[in-house]
Amino acid sequence: TLLRQFLDLGPWAVNLALSLGIFPYVMKLLQSAEYRQNLVGIWARILAFDRSCQVDLVKDETNIQHFCHHLMIGINTSQA
């Protein structure tokens, strides 16, 4: 996605996106199963920059399970 590509530019891009108020929109999209897979990379970049966002991510157990599932897939793929 375009947002993910932008966030890949580095911490300054994540900071800019957060300061522009992208966080509530990402949280809202996370509620949709359709967009969850795309949001894993976005969440990873946000959490790497601002760990205080973890509180909002863990409020919904479904988010945690989905996020951890993708982390495990990445770990298993890299070990193969």
Side-chain angles (χ1 to χ4, degrees):
T1 66
L2 187 57
L3 176 59
R4 186 169 161 187
Q5 291 173 358
F6 179 71
L7 297 178
D8 283 343
L9 294 174
W12 68 269
V14 178
N15 184 40
L16 182 60
L18 289 173
S19 67
L20 291 173
I22 197 73
F23 189 75
Y25 298 104
V26 173
M27 285 298 296
K28 190 73 170 169
L29 286 171
L30 203 54
Q31 295 173 5
S32 169
E34 181 180 349
Y35 297 110
R36 271 205 183 126
Q37 185 171 351
N38 295 326
L39 292 172
V40 170
I42 293 170
W43 261 110
R45 284 150 187 84
I46 290 173
L47 291 176
F49 178 79
D50 185 356
R51 295 190 184 256
S52 68
C53 296
Q54 289 177 352
V55 173
D56 292 313
L57 179 63
V58 299
K59 284 182 182 175
D60 182 354
E61 189 173 312
T62 307
N63 293 340
I64 299 168
Q65 292 172 353
H66 186 77
F67 194 75
C68 290
H69 173 74
H70 280 279
L71 289 175
M72 292 305 295
I73 288 173
I75 291 169
N76 291 337
T77 302
S78 66
Q79 291 177 353

